[in-house]
Amino acid sequence: MPKSQLVFRMSPLQRHEVVSDGVPAAAVADIASKLGTTAEKLNRVLGLGSSTVARKVSEGKNLDLNDGERILQMYHLQGLVHEIAEDFIMPEQRKDFDADKWLGEWLEIPQPSLNNRKPSEFLHTDVGMQIVETLLKRIAVGAFA
């Protein structure tokens, strides 16, 4: 099971423990690769300092709490898209569907319910992450997004 699905299935208490224990800085490149983007762009979108993340990666260190939480939230969004795909896409179609790439592309498409702003513009705050998560859930059930 991908990390994103593990994170998605964690309780808030479990996610809190993971963040408190430390999220490796290398997770930024992991997520960026899966989304089909660069670590630098993901850092910018999430409001992370690229040079700080790069230094921590080279030193094998963890992100600070806020940055680690943002990365865990991205894993959570990825897990949500995987769950949506499992629930709503026919198995024969699912084998050709790359949920991570879809999310990476979707984050860059202006959405009417966001006043034609891109979901990626909201990922640097907790409230913004919640907005994006809610929008994904609405899309999954066919509600106006």
Side-chain angles (χ1 to χ4, degrees):
M1 179 184 310
K3 289 179 194 175
S4 57
Q5 287 178 292
L6 289 171
V7 171
F8 181 73
R9 292 184 178 142
M10 288 179 183
S11 71
L13 182 59
Q14 290 170 314
R15 288 194 310 265
H16 172 79
E17 292 301 319
V18 169
V19 170
S20 296
D21 289 344
V23 175
V28 174
D30 177 55
I31 292 173
S33 172
K34 288 180 175 137
L35 295 178
T37 190
T38 65
E40 292 77 22
K41 182 173 182 181
L42 186 60
N43 285 330
R44 186 176 65 254
V45 165
L46 296 178
L48 310 180
S50 289
S51 59
T52 301
V53 172
R55 179 180 46 77
K56 288 185 178 192
V57 168
S58 69
E59 296 172 354
K61 291 188 175 178
N62 292 333
L63 297 168
D64 67 29
L65 289 177
N66 290 331
D67 293 351
E69 186 169 18
R70 191 84 58 240
I71 292 301
L72 214 64
Q73 288 172 320
M74 282 303 300
Y75 276 126
H76 182 78
L77 288 180
Q78 285 179 284
L80 173 61
V81 173
H82 281 270
E83 290 288 318
I84 291 169
E86 286 181 22
D87 291 344
F88 296 102
I89 297 177
M90 299 299 291
E92 60 274 5
Q93 295 170 323
R94 203 179 317 134
K95 65 180 166 80
D96 296 326
F97 180 72
D98 186 330
D100 294 323
K101 295 284 188 218
W102 181 88
L103 177 61
E105 293 169 3
W106 178 82
L107 288 170
E108 296 304 320
I109 298 171
Q111 301 296 316
S113 64
L114 300 176
N115 294 325
N116 287 318
R117 292 173 63 192
K118 299 174 187 177
S120 64
E121 295 176 44
F122 293 82
L123 299 177
H124 64 283
T125 68
D126 291 337
V127 172
M129 284 279 192
Q130 291 171 1
I131 290 168
V132 171
E133 180 176 354
T134 299
L135 184 55
L136 286 168
K137 289 176 179 177
R138 292 178 68 198
I139 290 169
V141 297
F144 173 71

